[in-house]
């Protein structure tokens, strides 16, 4: 037989190969299932190395194996909804407080409040953290990280403008900003990132809460038009952009990250940014105003307070895991390992803080010497804790939050760019809220 | 009847009536057909099926069958019609600009001159850039704080301070159209250039003999002969423009306000943010039918007398 003939694929060979390939394809899910881990964990792509090392310690301690997957935060909700609907194996996952009602109502995640070991950690958590993990009177997880919207200022610019300290009210923000404009210190002293992205509701909520406003009442009905703080907050932004010109009209295209870059490059004197960014802002390698950035209490509106918005990300348990006693027990162990104590200490939250500066909602960590030392190198830990105590849970987090949020963001942007006035924008947002609430 | 009678009485089925080669072809095509059915035909039919339900993924236990209510609801959906209007503006502007610019470049590249090959090569660069990379590049160019556009205009003294581009509702849609045109012109140019190359020289020679000027030769010979190329460009670019999503997603997310809230963005928000798959599927069908209708219109008008 020639060499060519030996390598030629005959009909029998073809059929044999095809059959083998088909059999392998059919057998693959079974093979994969046979190698399946004890716990399936899904997170967004943050602190991946820290998570993996903490998981390795968990497996070494308990002998339980964990199948860990992650996807970018921007696509996380879509990816998780697809997994839930498609019945993908899931036991523990990171959950944002913004999705809690939606996922709970759909029956995708389960409460953990019947587990006394996990619930014992509430005693050491900030109230707004526990509240943010609670929906319909049931608690759905333990804290992964929490943070709040902070008000930062460039102390050098404030001093150069002739002021002794940072503004304490939104009116003083305008006053100091106008002085800075007049002295040529900054063209747009206040940085506000109002681009249509997931951060927008956090900025809006901080403005509204500090103006003494609420979006909804205790029953979840809209009070946007009757609560003066909402319209006052939006009107303040509209005036700051169009009348005083202390905020750039480009704010509607500025996202949180670009806003951070603009502030850290020294373009502005004041900024509303997530508190955990303080480390970046005072890092000489990443910020040209490092050392000058200080945190002040959130300025107040005429009828407001120093309140701000806080948010939570937490470790939740899938309903599928909760339905199986063994899976539920294993998952609870993993939740405690990450959201509670591991070997007697809040190891993961501390690692996360030291690694990426992520905030925590566990009060004893504020007394941890390592954490105080880290905070002291770039911030005022007492100020940080004082502002955190005034953080409020977003009152718009409902099963219809996603739909409303899209329109609310557009309405605020429309008012800022002059397409409509503040009252009409707030009314449009309020009307949609009522419509969606009725529909649900 | 006995068992031995069966072969004599059995009717010949379809399988027996076709030849060995046809049977072999069917066997070998079957896997591909199965894959196509699974990944193309089934999703199309299934998406129509779910468009008849009020499906919201976050309410898995409440998904009533509502016949064509998702479609009729669109008639009274103000935001939907506003987004249709913006889509039409974007599409007409983009396709007109692409047609004119690519025609001019194709006419240029059809001439013999030094550097023609180099020009043809660099023309392909925008086409080779992935859509999302293209969008990110334009986001950087248009940025009002550090964007290249402001930098260039400022350096050339056209502006005395940095301008707001994407944040200005009067400019947003046209700026996105500009980014789209930049990406699409190369392909349109190639399609028109191929058509230009196929025009017989005899036609131009005859026109010259008849005393036609350059302009007359262009109007009476070149343009009519380019009708097939134009038809292709119009159909393809219209389809691309109507359905375009990437630039809107990366550059503005439908903003500022709702200045760039076009139909494709509306469908994305409805389907993947609101997770309303029923109404999202209905909108997608409307978009598909509109695209089909426009393609048919172009074929009927530009394809006439071909």
């Amino acid at each position: 037989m020639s060499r060519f003939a030996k390598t030629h694929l005959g009909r029998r060979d073809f059929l044999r190969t095809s059959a083998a390939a088909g059999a392998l394809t059919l057998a693959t899910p079974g093979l994969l299932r046979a190698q399946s881990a004890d716990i399936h964990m899904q997170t967004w792509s943050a602190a991946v190395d820290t998570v993996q090392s903490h998981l390795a310690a968990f497996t070494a301690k308990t002998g339980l194996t964990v199948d860990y997957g992650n996807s970018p935060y921007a696509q996380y909700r879509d990816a998780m909804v697809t997994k839930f609907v498609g019945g993908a194996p899931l036991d523990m996952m990171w959950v944002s407080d913004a999705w809690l009602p939606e996922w709970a109502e759909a029956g995708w995640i389960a409460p953990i409040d019947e587990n006394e070991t996990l619930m014992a950690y509430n005693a050491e958590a900030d109230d707004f953290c526990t509240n943010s993990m609670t929906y319909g009177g049931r608690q759905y997880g333990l804290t992964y990280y929490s943070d709040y919207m902070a008000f930062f200022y460039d102390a050098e610019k404030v001093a150069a403008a002739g002021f002794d300290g940072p503004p304490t009210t939104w009116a003083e923000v305008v006053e100091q900003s106008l002085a800075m404009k007049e002295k040529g210190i900054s063209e747009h002293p206040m940085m506000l990132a109002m681009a249509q992205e997931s951060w927008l509701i956090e900025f809006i909520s901080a403005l509204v809460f500090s103006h003494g406003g609420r979006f909804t009442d205790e029953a979840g009905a809209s009070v946007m038009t009757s609560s003066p703080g909402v319209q006052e907050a939006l009107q303040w932004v509209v005036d700051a952009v169009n009348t005083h010109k202390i905020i750039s009209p480009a704010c509607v295209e500025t996202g949180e990250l670009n806003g951070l870059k603009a502030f850290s490059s020294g373009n502005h004197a004041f900024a509303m940014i997530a508190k955990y960014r303080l480390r970046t802002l005072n890092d000489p390698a990443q910020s040209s105003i490092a050392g000058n950035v200080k945190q002040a209490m959130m300025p107040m509106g005429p009828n407001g307070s120093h309140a701000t918005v806080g948010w939570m990300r937490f470790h939740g348990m899938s309903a599928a895991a909760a339905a199986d006693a063994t899976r539920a027990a294993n998952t609870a162990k993993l939740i405690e390992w990450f959201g509670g104590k591991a070997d007697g200490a809040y190891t993961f939250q501390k690692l996360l803080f030291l690694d990426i500066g992520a905030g925590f909602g566990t009060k004893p960590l504020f007394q941890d010497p390592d954490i105080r030392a880290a905070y002291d190198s770039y911030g005022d830990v007492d100020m940080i804790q004082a502002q955190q105590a005034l953080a409020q849970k977003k009152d718009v987090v409902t099963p219809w939050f996603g739909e409303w949020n899209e329109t609310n963001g557009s309405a605020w942007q429309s008012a800022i760019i002059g397409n409509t006035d503040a009252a009409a924008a707030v009314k449009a947002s309020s009307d949609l809220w009522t419509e969606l609430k009725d529909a649900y | 009847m006995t068992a031995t009678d069966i072969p004599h009485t059995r009717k010949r089925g379809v399988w027996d009536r076709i030849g060995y080669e046809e049977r072999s072809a069917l066997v070998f095509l079957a896997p591909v057909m199965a894959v196509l059915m699974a990944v193309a035909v089934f999703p199309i039919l299934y998406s129509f099926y779910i468009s008849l339900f009020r499906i919201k993924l976050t309410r898995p236990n409440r998904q009533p069958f509502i016949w064509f209510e998702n479609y009729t609801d669109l008639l009274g959906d103000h935001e939907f019609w506003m987004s249709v209007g913006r889509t039409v503006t974007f599409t007409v502007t983009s396709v007109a600009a692409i047609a004119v610019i690519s025609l001019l470049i194709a006419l240029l590249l059809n001439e013999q001159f030094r550097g023609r090959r180099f020009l043809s090569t660099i023309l392909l660069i925008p086409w080779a850039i992935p859509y999302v990379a293209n969008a990110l590049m334009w986001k950087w160019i248009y940025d009002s704080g550090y964007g290249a556009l402001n930098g260039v205009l400022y350096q050339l003294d056209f502006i005395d301070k940095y301008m707001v581009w994407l944040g200005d509702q009067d400019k947003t849609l046209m700026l996105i159209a500009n980014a789209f045109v930049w990406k699409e012109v190369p392909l349109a140019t190639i399609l028109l250039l191929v058509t230009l190359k196929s025009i017989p020289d005899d036609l131009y020679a005859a026109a010259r003999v008849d005393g036609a000027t350059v302009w007359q030769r262009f109007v009476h010979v070149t343009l009519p002969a380019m009708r097939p190329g134009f038809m292709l460009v119009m159909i393809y670019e219209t389809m691309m423009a109507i359905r375009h999503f990437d630039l809107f997603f990366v550059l503005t997310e439908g903003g500022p306000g709702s200045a760039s809230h076009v139909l494709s963005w509306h469908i994305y928000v409805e389907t993947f943010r609101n997770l309303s798959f029923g109404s999202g599927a209905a909108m997608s069908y409307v978009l598909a039918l509109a695209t089909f209708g426009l393609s048919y219109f172009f074929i009927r008008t530009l394809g006439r007398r071909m």
Side-chain angles (χ1 to χ4, degrees):
Chain A
M1 194 179 281
S2 71
R3 284 176 64 192
F4 172 76
K6 280 178 187 170
T7 57
H8 186 71
L9 187 69
R11 191 172 59 181
R12 286 173 191 280
D13 296 327
F14 173 77
L15 290 172
R16 261 199 299 269
T17 310
S18 302
L24 184 66
T25 306
L26 290 172
T28 300
L31 291 172
L32 290 177
R33 261 198 300 276
Q35 297 167 352
S36 181
D38 296 310
I39 305 170
H40 297 273
M41 175 183 175
Q42 189 72 28
T43 72
W44 50 85
S45 312
V48 173
D49 292 342
T50 308
V51 172
Q52 283 177 329
S53 69
H54 203 56
L55 276 176
F58 175 76
T59 300
K61 174 91 177 174
T62 63
L64 295 169
T65 55
V66 181
D67 174 30
Y68 167 55
N70 63 79
S71 52
Y73 184 78
Q75 285 84 44
Y76 186 74
R77 175 175 167 259
D78 299 348
M80 290 303 290
V81 169
T82 309
K83 282 177 186 288
F84 285 132
V85 172
L90 270 176
D91 297 300
M92 177 180 132
M93 74 292 298
W94 286 356
V95 185
S96 164
D97 54 358
W99 311 320
L100 168 59
E102 187 181 80
W103 294 9
E105 286 285 338
W108 294 329
I109 55 175
I112 53 119
D113 51 13
E114 287 173 1
N115 186 313
E116 290 178 7
T117 308
L118 299 182
M119 293 300 282
Y121 288 102
N122 286 348
E124 295 187 330
D126 268 318
D127 284 346
F128 92 88
C129 294
T130 307
N131 291 340
S132 298
M133 294 184 289
T134 303
Y135 175 71
R138 307 294 304 272
Q139 185 171 328
Y140 282 80
L142 282 191
T143 173
Y144 146 52
Y145 106 99
S146 75
D147 211 349
Y148 60 84
M149 195 54 71
F151 184 81
F152 297 127
Y153 66 100
D154 182 335
E156 201 174 87
K157 288 189 178 70
V158 169
F163 295 96
D164 295 332
T168 57
T169 65
W170 288 111
E172 285 178 19
V173 172
V174 173
E175 181 194 342
Q176 294 198 6
S177 297
L178 290 174
M180 287 176 191
K181 277 176 76 78
E182 199 174 305
K183 293 183 177 178
I185 296 169
S186 171
E187 188 186 354
H188 297 115
M190 176 74 201
M191 195 294 292
L192 202 55
M194 301 296 281
Q196 183 74 282
E197 58 171 13
S198 57
W199 278 102
L200 183 54
I201 187 60
E202 313 292 355
F203 294 117
I204 289 175
S205 298
L207 284 161
V208 168
F209 293 167
S210 62
H211 276 85
R214 301 289 299 169
F215 292 99
T216 64
D217 61 17
E218 291 302 317
S222 170
V223 292
M224 293 174 222
T225 49
S226 56
S227 168
V230 180
Q231 194 179 316
E232 274 176 15
L234 176 53
Q235 191 62 53
W236 185 89
V237 180
V238 170
D239 291 343
V241 172
N242 300 297
T243 307
H244 309 307
K245 301 187 190 306
I246 60 171
I247 297 176
S248 168
C251 66
V252 291
E253 61 167 288
T254 305
E256 190 267 347
L257 191 58
N258 276 349
L260 175 74
K261 288 177 186 169
F263 185 57
S264 63
S265 65
N267 291 346
H268 308 281
F270 309 115
M272 194 193 270
I273 306 180
K275 185 265 298 165
Y276 81 96
R277 297 292 199 186
L278 185 56
R279 188 169 86 163
T280 303
L281 290 167
N282 277 324
D283 177 358
Q286 301 182 68
S287 169
S288 63
I289 53 170
N292 294 331
V293 182
K294 310 283 183 206
Q295 182 180 346
M297 296 298 280
M298 187 62 68
M300 295 188 290
N303 303 301
S305 66
H306 292 303
T308 187
V309 68
W311 54 85
M312 269 298 298
R313 311 288 182 253
F314 60 90
H315 306 282
M317 183 188 295
S318 72
D324 179 300
T326 308
R327 282 175 70 184
N330 291 343
T331 306
K333 283 180 192 165
L334 188 61
I335 289 176
E336 183 182 13
W337 188 259
F338 275 84
K341 289 179 178 173
D343 286 333
Y346 289 107
T347 310
F348 183 67
Q349 293 179 54
K350 184 174 172 179
L351 284 172
L352 213 56
F353 171 78
L354 297 174
D355 181 17
I356 58 173
F360 44 81
T362 312
K363 288 181 279 192
L365 284 177
F366 276 113
Q367 308 310 321
D368 184 286
D370 296 334
I371 286 176
R372 287 193 80 87
Y375 262 143
D376 284 342
S377 68
Y378 59 82
D380 176 351
V381 67
D382 293 328
M383 166 65 74
I384 288 166
Q385 192 169 10
Q387 181 68 84
Q388 181 156 317
L390 296 177
Q392 295 177 11
K393 170 188 173 180
K394 287 187 291 292
D395 58 349
V396 288
V397 177
T398 53
W400 58 92
F401 167 68
E403 282 176 85
W404 171 80
N405 189 34
E406 194 75 25
T407 300
N408 181 60
S410 289
W412 274 61
Q413 283 196 334
S414 293
I416 293 167
I417 61 179
N419 250 358
T420 183
D421 60 54
V426 171
K427 184 176 183 312
S429 182
S430 178
D431 288 348
L432 178 69
W433 180 274
T434 305
E435 185 187 322
L436 289 169
K437 186 173 185 294
D438 292 345
Y440 272 80
Chain B
M1 188 184 288
T2 64
T4 51
D5 294 330
I6 292 170
H8 302 290
T9 57
R10 186 176 147 224
K11 285 185 179 174
R12 292 183 70 209
V14 177
W15 191 249
D16 297 316
R17 275 182 272 164
I18 60 175
Y20 173 78
E21 296 215 342
E22 287 83 355
R23 283 205 300 270
S24 301
L26 277 174
V27 167
F28 285 111
L29 284 174
V32 178
M33 296 295 286
V35 170
L36 278 176
M37 290 292 288
V39 302
V41 178
F42 174 72
I44 289 170
L45 296 177
Y46 187 66
S47 62
F48 177 71
Y49 174 69
I50 65 173
S51 76
L52 306 177
F53 288 82
R54 179 151 289 141
I55 292 181
K56 195 162 179 63
L57 289 190
T58 49
R59 283 185 292 180
N61 302 319
R62 236 192 316 160
Q63 299 179 341
F65 180 74
I66 54 169
W67 287 103
F68 293 94
E69 212 172 293
N70 281 326
Y71 293 89
T72 54
D73 282 352
L74 293 179
L75 297 173
D77 184 346
H78 176 71
E79 191 53 51
F80 173 79
W81 289 108
M82 292 295 285
S83 65
V84 168
R86 290 182 205 106
T87 305
V88 170
T89 306
F90 175 78
T91 303
V92 170
T93 312
S94 305
V95 175
I98 290 167
V100 172
I101 295 170
S102 56
L103 173 64
L104 294 174
I105 299 175
L107 289 171
L108 176 69
L109 293 177
N110 197 38
E111 300 299 318
Q112 294 296 326
F113 60 92
R114 194 178 172 86
R116 187 175 64 90
R117 281 177 187 276
F118 176 70
L119 196 61
S120 303
T121 307
I122 62 167
L123 175 74
L124 294 175
I125 291 174
W127 190 34
I129 295 176
Y131 272 108
V132 172
N134 177 51
L136 288 169
M137 182 186 77
W138 282 99
K139 191 177 178 67
W140 177 75
I141 291 171
Y142 289 148
D143 190 279
S144 57
Y146 52 80
L149 180 59
N150 267 334
V152 169
L153 293 177
Y154 188 79
Q155 293 291 326
L156 295 174
D157 273 343
F158 284 120
I159 54 175
D160 57 0
K161 63 175 185 177
Y162 276 22
M163 303 280 289
V164 174
W165 298 110
L166 291 171
D168 184 337
Q169 58 176 334
D170 297 328
K171 301 188 188 102
T172 309
L173 209 53
M174 291 305 109
L175 290 170
I176 298 173
N178 178 60
F180 179 74
V181 169
W182 187 83
K183 175 88 175 80
E184 292 297 317
V185 156
L187 178 64
T189 303
I190 290 167
L191 291 171
L192 293 182
L193 189 58
V194 169
T195 316
L196 269 177
K197 297 274 185 203
S198 68
I199 301 173
D201 288 339
D202 297 353
L203 290 177
Y204 290 106
R208 278 193 205 95
V209 169
D210 290 342
T213 62
V214 172
W215 177 250
Q216 285 170 325
R217 289 201 297 274
F218 175 68
V219 172
H220 297 291
V221 178
T222 308
L223 279 184
M226 289 184 75
R227 197 187 290 266
F230 264 122
M231 187 178 73
L232 203 56
V233 167
M234 298 299 272
I235 291 173
Y236 177 76
E237 297 301 346
T238 302
M239 287 169 68
M240 293 298 285
I242 285 181
R243 298 180 300 121
H244 195 69
F245 173 75
D246 310 49
L247 283 165
F248 295 96
F249 180 69
V250 175
L251 291 181
T252 59
E253 297 210 13
S258 50
S260 59
H261 196 109
V262 291
L263 192 49
S264 59
W265 179 254
H266 194 64
I267 292 171
Y268 168 76
V269 169
E270 186 68 8
T271 310
F272 295 106
R273 291 203 172 165
N274 299 344
L275 300 173
S276 299
F277 274 55
S279 50
M283 287 179 197
S284 300
Y285 263 90
V286 170
L287 180 63
L289 286 173
T291 311
F292 175 78
L294 275 170
S295 303
Y296 183 73
F297 168 77
F298 283 131
I299 291 169
R300 292 285 295 176
T301 51
L302 287 173
R304 203 180 295 154
R305 295 194 302 272
M306 271 176 55

